[in-house]
Amino acid sequence: MRTLRPRGTTLAIVAVDPSSRESGGALLGDRIRVRSGSADPGVLIRSMAARDRLGGLADGTRAAVVILAAAYDRVFVETVGVGQSEIAVAALVDTLVYVVNPGTGDLLQFMKAGILEAPDIFVVNKSDLGADAARTAGELESGLALGGRQDEAAPPPVLLASARDATGIDALAAALDAHRQALLEGDGLRERRRRGREGFVLETLELRYGSFGLDAIGGPSALRARIREDAAATAFALIATLGREIEAALRKPRAR
Amino acid sequence: MTKPRTAERDRPWVIRTYSGHSSAEASNALYRSNLEKGQTGLSVAFDLPTQTGFDADHPLARGEVGKVGVPIGHVEDLAALFEGIPLDRMNTSMTINATAAWLLALYVAVAERNGIDPGSLQGTTQNDIIKEYLSRGTYIFPPGPSLRLISDMVAYTVDALPRWNPVNICSYHLQEAGATPVQEIAYAMATALAVLDAVRARDDVPSEALPRIVGRISFFLNAGIRFVEEICKVRAMAELWDGLTRERYGVEDAKLRRFRYGVQVNSLGLTEAQPENNVIRIALETLGVTFSKKARCRALQLPAWNEALGLPRPWDQQWSLRIQQILAYETDLLEYADLFDGSHVVEARTRDLREAAREEMEQVLAMGGAVAAVENAFMKQRLVASHTQRTRAIESGELTVVGVNAYTESEPSPLTAGATNVLRVDESAERDQIERLAAFRSRRNAVEVAAALQNLKDVVQDGGNVMPPSIRAAHAGVTTGEWSDALRSLFGEYRAPTGVVARKLDASGPRTQEVRGRVHALSERLGRPLKILVGKPGLDGHSNGAEQIAVKARDVGMEVVYEGIRLTPDEIARSARDEGVHVIGLSILSGSHGVLVIDVLDRLRKLGLDDVPVVVGGIIPESDAEALRRAGVRRVYTPKDFDLTRILSDVVDVVSESAPGE
C-alpha cells in the first residue's frame, strides 16, 4: 500500500481468515494490521470468513475478485494459509506469491507440501531475523533448483523482506510488475485465466455434486475441454449450465 | 516479652490522587486545593492527545482534549500546571509513557526557567511501554525504539536527576487486563529485566553506575480486592526482586535491591451498581499494600467511589484522600514492625506465588524476554485468556461481586440521586486549548523551533541521548505533536498484536448455544452470516472490553471485523461500508463518547448507511446514554452490563429489528 498508492495505483485487498468449525463465527483481524487504509478512497479492504470451504478461500472470494478487478488497478488476495493441496487461490490470481516465515520449514517439508510448484514469487518475511531468514531463502532456492516446474529455465525469484522494517517491499513490487509484464508479453495471461476458469468451474461442480456428478456427464477431462471451447460464457454461467446437466444425468437410471 | 511496637511511628507513604482535567489552569487549582487538604505528592493525569503525541488541533484529538487528564501542548502549559508549586520540594508522578521523555524535558525546562536545579527534582515518569502494548494502548513507536527511549531516560537521569524514578514498571495494568497474581509478578519482572538489560548494554553507562540505576527502578502496582493474596503478592515481588538484582546485576548494597513501588488501587473492579460499596472496596484494597511493613508501598493513590459512573468531582476525591489519612494518622498501623513475619500461612502463600511466578518469568525469558513476548503475542494471549475466564466466572455467579451478581436488591441511594453525581468537563475546554495553542505557535520563534526539531532528529538518528535535544526543544517552544512527529518520522508507528485472534472457542454453556442458534437463523434470513464491526474511535487504548465482545461475538457465530484502536469516525464509517457489516459496535472508555459517536453517525449518514444500526459500550452516564439514544444509537451498554452473552443476544435483536423482510 505504501509503495503502490504514491504511484497512483488503486488497490483492493481481499483478506480471508478462518472460520470456527464449531460456531461458524470468525474473527477477521486484518484491518488492525493495515493502518490508514480506510481513509483513502483508492484502497478497499474486504475481510471474508472462509466458512466451510477448504482451499484457503471463501465462497464469495472469486465473485469479489472479479468485481473488484473491474474497479481497482490491482487486487490482492490474502488466503488463510496454504497447506498441502490447498492452493485453490492459484486458479484465481494472475500472480501467486508465497510468503513464508523464517524457520517454518525445511526443504523436505516444502517439497512435501507441494508448494514449490505453483507460486510465481517466493518471499521470506521477517528478514530482520537475519541468518534464519537467509537460511530459509536458501532452502527454497535449492528446492527450486531441483526442477519439476514448467519454468525450469527461469526459476521464480526468492525475495527477502521485512514487514516490520518495511524493507524489501520495493523489490517485491518490482517482481510483481516484472511477472505481470512477462504474462502480458506472451500468451501467459490468457492461458492462466483460462486454466483458472476451468479449475474454478470444475471445483465448484465437484463441491456441489461430487466426483460422481462430474463422471455422470463425462468426467473431468471431457468437461475441461468443453469449458475451453465455450470461451464466451462466464464461469458462473457455465456452472449453472453444467450443473443442470449433471442434475438431469443423475436423475436418469444409469446404463449398465 | 519484647514489645513488637516500633519506637516511633513510621513515616507514611506519599499520599496523592491521580488527577487533572480540562486545562493546565483548572488542574493547577485542583492540585493546590488537594495539597491544602493534606496530600503530600502530586500525580498528574494527562489527556490522551498528550499521551499519544498529538496536538489539540489534530483530527484524532477531537473530543479527547482535556477529557481523561490535563492537556499539555508545550512548555507554557506545563509552567501553568505547576504555577505556585515549588518543584524542588514536590514529589511529582507523571502517568506518561510514549511521550515520557518529552514531558520530563518540559518539566526540566520549567524548573530551569524558575532557577531550580534539575538535580533536586523528585518524582516518577511511568514510562513502561510493554504494558501499553498489553493493556493500556497509548504506545506510538515500535518496541525496539520505545525501549531505546526508556533506556535513554534511565541513562540520563542517573546523573542529571539522581532523585528521579525514570521508569515505573507497571503490573497495575496487567491486573486490569486480567492477569492472575502469578502472571502479574512474572511479566512485571520480565519487563524490568528488559529495561535493565537494555541499559546495561549501552556504551555510555559505566558498570559502576549499574547498581545506582537498579536502585532507581520502581514499580507501579494494583491492589485488588483479594487483599490477603495481595499482601503475599507484594512480599513475593520484594523477595524476587532482591534475588534477581543480586544474581543478574551483581548489586551488593541491599538498599539498592529494595523493591520500591507505588500503588493505584484497582479502578476497573469498581462497580456501577450500588456504587457506594466502592468506598469499602477501596479501603480494604488499601490494606493489601500497606499492612505488611516489609512490602509497604512508597506512594498511594486511591480512586473515587464513583469512577465507574464518570469523572469524579473534587469532593469524591477528597473522600478517598481521607481514607488514606485515617489509615496513616488515626490507626496504629504505622507503629508496628512487620505483622506477618513468622506467619506460616502468609509465608507459604508467598513462596507459592514467588515460585510459580519465577517459572512463568523464565518462560518469557526463554523466548527472548518481554519485548519478544509482546511481538509474538504470548503475554497478550495469556492475559486475554485469564480475563475471559474471570468474566465468565462473574457471569456464571462462581465469583461473587456484591450488588452486581449477588445481593442486587437495594434501597434508593441518596448518593446517586440527581444528575450531578459526576464531574462534567466543560465542552469549551477543547476549543480554548486549541485557541491557546494557536496563540502560542504565533508568538514563538519559528527559526529556533525548526532548528531544535532538526537537532532532535539529528541527535536521535546518530544514536545520541534523546533528553538533551528534547530539553532544548522544550525551551524553544516545540509542541507535543511536533516532538512526537519528529520521532515518528524516524521510528515509524506501531500497531500491537491483540491476542484476540488466537483465542480458543468457548462452546460451553446452553446460553451461548441458544444465542448461536438465533445468529444462525438470522444469518439465513439475511442470506449470509451476520457480520459485525467492532472498533474504538478516538485515542482511548483500553481495548479489553472491545476484545472480549469480539471474541464472544465470534463464539456465538458472528463474523467479526475487529478493527482495533485509534480510529477516526471517518475510518469507522468507511470500513463499515467496505466490509458490508450488519451492525457496528463502538467502545469508548475515555468519556468522549458524545462527540465521537455523533460523528460516526453523521459519517454513516453521509455514506448512505443510516440503516446500519450502531451500539455503544463505555463509561457513559445515564443522561449521556439518553442523548445518544435520541441521536440514533440503538443500544448503550455500561459497566453494569457485565453479561456478554446477554449483550450479544441483544445485538441479534437489534439486527433483526433492522433487517428487511421480517
PDB file of all heavy atoms in Angstrom, chain B residues 105-125:
ATOM      1  N   ALA B 105      11.313  16.378  29.735  1.00  0.00           N
ATOM      2  CA  ALA B 105      12.066  17.517  29.196  1.00  0.00           C
ATOM      3  C   ALA B 105      11.341  18.823  29.513  1.00  0.00           C
ATOM      4  O   ALA B 105      11.965  19.816  29.907  1.00  0.00           O
ATOM      5  CB  ALA B 105      12.248  17.356  27.686  1.00  0.00           C
ATOM      6  N   LEU B 106      10.015  18.825  29.376  1.00  0.00           N
ATOM      7  CA  LEU B 106       9.245  20.031  29.699  1.00  0.00           C
ATOM      8  C   LEU B 106       9.374  20.367  31.194  1.00  0.00           C
ATOM      9  O   LEU B 106       9.511  21.524  31.582  1.00  0.00           O
ATOM     10  CB  LEU B 106       7.760  19.836  29.341  1.00  0.00           C
ATOM     11  CG  LEU B 106       7.388  19.799  27.852  1.00  0.00           C
ATOM     12  CD1 LEU B 106       5.913  19.451  27.694  1.00  0.00           C
ATOM     13  CD2 LEU B 106       7.686  21.139  27.177  1.00  0.00           C
ATOM     14  N   TYR B 107       9.334  19.328  32.033  1.00  0.00           N
ATOM     15  CA  TYR B 107       9.426  19.518  33.490  1.00  0.00           C
ATOM     16  C   TYR B 107      10.781  20.135  33.856  1.00  0.00           C
ATOM     17  O   TYR B 107      10.860  21.077  34.636  1.00  0.00           O
ATOM     18  CB  TYR B 107       9.241  18.160  34.172  1.00  0.00           C
ATOM     19  CG  TYR B 107       8.893  18.204  35.645  1.00  0.00           C
ATOM     20  CD1 TYR B 107       7.624  18.609  36.059  1.00  0.00           C
ATOM     21  CD2 TYR B 107       9.814  17.823  36.616  1.00  0.00           C
ATOM     22  CE1 TYR B 107       7.282  18.632  37.414  1.00  0.00           C
ATOM     23  CE2 TYR B 107       9.491  17.838  37.973  1.00  0.00           C
ATOM     24  CZ  TYR B 107       8.224  18.244  38.367  1.00  0.00           C
ATOM     25  OH  TYR B 107       7.894  18.257  39.705  1.00  0.00           O
ATOM     26  N   VAL B 108      11.840  19.593  33.229  1.00  0.00           N
ATOM     27  CA  VAL B 108      13.187  20.129  33.466  1.00  0.00           C
ATOM     28  C   VAL B 108      13.261  21.577  32.975  1.00  0.00           C
ATOM     29  O   VAL B 108      13.808  22.457  33.658  1.00  0.00           O
ATOM     30  CB  VAL B 108      14.252  19.256  32.766  1.00  0.00           C
ATOM     31  CG1 VAL B 108      15.622  19.927  32.778  1.00  0.00           C
ATOM     32  CG2 VAL B 108      14.332  17.877  33.419  1.00  0.00           C
ATOM     33  N   ALA B 109      12.687  21.823  31.807  1.00  0.00           N
ATOM     34  CA  ALA B 109      12.740  23.185  31.250  1.00  0.00           C
ATOM     35  C   ALA B 109      12.013  24.176  32.155  1.00  0.00           C
ATOM     36  O   ALA B 109      12.496  25.295  32.376  1.00  0.00           O
ATOM     37  CB  ALA B 109      12.123  23.190  29.843  1.00  0.00           C
ATOM     38  N   VAL B 110      10.872  23.773  32.703  1.00  0.00           N
ATOM     39  CA  VAL B 110      10.127  24.664  33.604  1.00  0.00           C
ATOM     40  C   VAL B 110      10.948  24.923  34.869  1.00  0.00           C
ATOM     41  O   VAL B 110      11.030  26.056  35.352  1.00  0.00           O
ATOM     42  CB  VAL B 110       8.745  24.074  33.950  1.00  0.00           C
ATOM     43  CG1 VAL B 110       8.080  24.856  35.077  1.00  0.00           C
ATOM     44  CG2 VAL B 110       7.858  24.071  32.721  1.00  0.00           C
ATOM     45  N   ALA B 111      11.603  23.878  35.392  1.00  0.00           N
ATOM     46  CA  ALA B 111      12.463  24.054  36.572  1.00  0.00           C
ATOM     47  C   ALA B 111      13.569  25.046  36.245  1.00  0.00           C
ATOM     48  O   ALA B 111      13.821  25.999  37.001  1.00  0.00           O
ATOM     49  CB  ALA B 111      13.049  22.710  37.004  1.00  0.00           C
ATOM     50  N   GLU B 112      14.215  24.865  35.104  1.00  0.00           N
ATOM     51  CA  GLU B 112      15.322  25.755  34.722  1.00  0.00           C
ATOM     52  C   GLU B 112      14.847  27.198  34.566  1.00  0.00           C
ATOM     53  O   GLU B 112      15.525  28.134  34.987  1.00  0.00           O
ATOM     54  CB  GLU B 112      15.976  25.248  33.430  1.00  0.00           C
ATOM     55  CG  GLU B 112      16.852  24.018  33.675  1.00  0.00           C
ATOM     56  CD  GLU B 112      17.432  23.390  32.401  1.00  0.00           C
ATOM     57  OE1 GLU B 112      17.011  23.769  31.281  1.00  0.00           O
ATOM     58  OE2 GLU B 112      18.303  22.521  32.536  1.00  0.00           O
ATOM     59  N   ARG B 113      13.677  27.382  33.976  1.00  0.00           N
ATOM     60  CA  ARG B 113      13.113  28.724  33.848  1.00  0.00           C
ATOM     61  C   ARG B 113      12.929  29.399  35.206  1.00  0.00           C
ATOM     62  O   ARG B 113      13.020  30.609  35.338  1.00  0.00           O
ATOM     63  CB  ARG B 113      11.729  28.662  33.200  1.00  0.00           C
ATOM     64  CG  ARG B 113      11.722  28.571  31.709  1.00  0.00           C
ATOM     65  CD  ARG B 113      10.265  28.505  31.296  1.00  0.00           C
ATOM     66  NE  ARG B 113      10.082  28.889  29.904  1.00  0.00           N
ATOM     67  CZ  ARG B 113       8.955  29.376  29.415  1.00  0.00           C
ATOM     68  NH1 ARG B 113       7.902  29.540  30.207  1.00  0.00           N
ATOM     69  NH2 ARG B 113       8.849  29.707  28.159  1.00  0.00           N
ATOM     70  N   ASN B 114      12.597  28.569  36.209  1.00  0.00           N
ATOM     71  CA  ASN B 114      12.348  29.122  37.547  1.00  0.00           C
ATOM     72  C   ASN B 114      13.614  29.121  38.405  1.00  0.00           C
ATOM     73  O   ASN B 114      13.536  29.313  39.617  1.00  0.00           O
ATOM     74  CB  ASN B 114      11.254  28.320  38.258  1.00  0.00           C
ATOM     75  CG  ASN B 114       9.915  28.457  37.562  1.00  0.00           C
ATOM     76  OD1 ASN B 114       9.671  29.451  36.877  1.00  0.00           O
ATOM     77  ND2 ASN B 114       9.053  27.456  37.713  1.00  0.00           N
ATOM     78  N   GLY B 115      14.762  28.842  37.782  1.00  0.00           N
ATOM     79  CA  GLY B 115      16.020  28.867  38.518  1.00  0.00           C
ATOM     80  C   GLY B 115      16.191  27.709  39.491  1.00  0.00           C
ATOM     81  O   GLY B 115      16.912  27.816  40.476  1.00  0.00           O
ATOM     82  N   ILE B 116      15.523  26.596  39.231  1.00  0.00           N
ATOM     83  CA  ILE B 116      15.643  25.437  40.125  1.00  0.00           C
ATOM     84  C   ILE B 116      16.611  24.427  39.513  1.00  0.00           C
ATOM     85  O   ILE B 116      16.548  24.150  38.315  1.00  0.00           O
ATOM     86  CB  ILE B 116      14.258  24.794  40.338  1.00  0.00           C
ATOM     87  CG1 ILE B 116      13.391  25.732  41.184  1.00  0.00           C
ATOM     88  CG2 ILE B 116      14.362  23.419  40.999  1.00  0.00           C
ATOM     89  CD1 ILE B 116      11.929  25.364  41.189  1.00  0.00           C
ATOM     90  N   ASP B 117      17.508  23.893  40.340  1.00  0.00           N
ATOM     91  CA  ASP B 117      18.478  22.901  39.873  1.00  0.00           C
ATOM     92  C   ASP B 117      17.748  21.599  39.545  1.00  0.00           C
ATOM     93  O   ASP B 117      17.105  21.010  40.423  1.00  0.00           O
ATOM     94  CB  ASP B 117      19.511  22.673  40.982  1.00  0.00           C
ATOM     95  CG  ASP B 117      20.428  21.495  40.673  1.00  0.00           C
ATOM     96  OD1 ASP B 117      20.509  21.101  39.479  1.00  0.00           O
ATOM     97  OD2 ASP B 117      21.043  20.966  41.626  1.00  0.00           O
ATOM     98  N   PRO B 118      17.828  21.121  38.275  1.00  0.00           N
ATOM     99  CA  PRO B 118      17.131  19.868  37.926  1.00  0.00           C
ATOM    100  C   PRO B 118      17.547  18.708  38.826  1.00  0.00           C
ATOM    101  O   PRO B 118      16.764  17.782  39.051  1.00  0.00           O
ATOM    102  CB  PRO B 118      17.553  19.614  36.478  1.00  0.00           C
ATOM    103  CG  PRO B 118      17.951  20.950  35.948  1.00  0.00           C
ATOM    104  CD  PRO B 118      18.501  21.720  37.118  1.00  0.00           C
ATOM    105  N   GLY B 119      18.767  18.770  39.367  1.00  0.00           N
ATOM    106  CA  GLY B 119      19.244  17.703  40.251  1.00  0.00           C
ATOM    107  C   GLY B 119      18.392  17.535  41.495  1.00  0.00           C
ATOM    108  O   GLY B 119      18.437  16.499  42.162  1.00  0.00           O
ATOM    109  N   SER B 120      17.614  18.547  41.823  1.00  0.00           N
ATOM    110  CA  SER B 120      16.794  18.453  43.035  1.00  0.00           C
ATOM    111  C   SER B 120      15.393  17.909  42.745  1.00  0.00           C
ATOM    112  O   SER B 120      14.599  17.703  43.658  1.00  0.00           O
ATOM    113  CB  SER B 120      16.675  19.843  43.678  1.00  0.00           C
ATOM    114  OG  SER B 120      15.905  20.686  42.827  1.00  0.00           O
ATOM    115  N   LEU B 121      15.085  17.680  41.475  1.00  0.00           N
ATOM    116  CA  LEU B 121      13.723  17.253  41.127  1.00  0.00           C
ATOM    117  C   LEU B 121      13.475  15.816  41.603  1.00  0.00           C
ATOM    118  O   LEU B 121      14.315  14.933  41.436  1.00  0.00           O
ATOM    119  CB  LEU B 121      13.501  17.342  39.620  1.00  0.00           C
ATOM    120  CG  LEU B 121      13.569  18.754  39.028  1.00  0.00           C
ATOM    121  CD1 LEU B 121      13.375  18.704  37.518  1.00  0.00           C
ATOM    122  CD2 LEU B 121      12.533  19.673  39.668  1.00  0.00           C
ATOM    123  N   GLN B 122      12.299  15.623  42.181  1.00  0.00           N
ATOM    124  CA  GLN B 122      11.918  14.302  42.687  1.00  0.00           C
ATOM    125  C   GLN B 122      10.614  13.863  42.058  1.00  0.00           C
ATOM    126  O   GLN B 122       9.670  14.646  42.018  1.00  0.00           O
ATOM    127  CB  GLN B 122      11.625  14.413  44.177  1.00  0.00           C
ATOM    128  CG  GLN B 122      12.776  14.138  45.079  1.00  0.00           C
ATOM    129  CD  GLN B 122      12.247  14.042  46.499  1.00  0.00           C
ATOM    130  OE1 GLN B 122      11.745  13.011  46.907  1.00  0.00           O
ATOM    131  NE2 GLN B 122      12.337  15.120  47.242  1.00  0.00           N
ATOM    132  N   GLY B 123      10.571  12.646  41.632  1.00  0.00           N
ATOM    133  CA  GLY B 123       9.307  12.168  41.092  1.00  0.00           C
ATOM    134  C   GLY B 123       9.500  10.963  40.205  1.00  0.00           C
ATOM    135  O   GLY B 123      10.532  10.293  40.252  1.00  0.00           O
ATOM    136  N   THR B 124       8.490  10.702  39.400  1.00  0.00           N
ATOM    137  CA  THR B 124       8.445   9.466  38.627  1.00  0.00           C
ATOM    138  C   THR B 124       7.805   9.722  37.267  1.00  0.00           C
ATOM    139  O   THR B 124       6.801  10.426  37.189  1.00  0.00           O
ATOM    140  CB  THR B 124       7.566   8.427  39.373  1.00  0.00           C
ATOM    141  OG1 THR B 124       8.052   8.294  40.704  1.00  0.00           O
ATOM    142  CG2 THR B 124       7.597   7.081  38.697  1.00  0.00           C
ATOM    143  N   THR B 125       8.411   9.176  36.228  1.00  0.00           N
ATOM    144  CA  THR B 125       7.708   9.086  34.950  1.00  0.00           C
ATOM    145  C   THR B 125       7.341   7.614  34.767  1.00  0.00           C
ATOM    146  O   THR B 125       8.182   6.747  34.960  1.00  0.00           O
ATOM    147  CB  THR B 125       8.615   9.532  33.780  1.00  0.00           C
ATOM    148  OG1 THR B 125       9.979   9.237  34.101  1.00  0.00           O
ATOM    149  CG2 THR B 125       8.470  11.011  33.519  1.00  0.00           C
TER     150      THR B 125
END
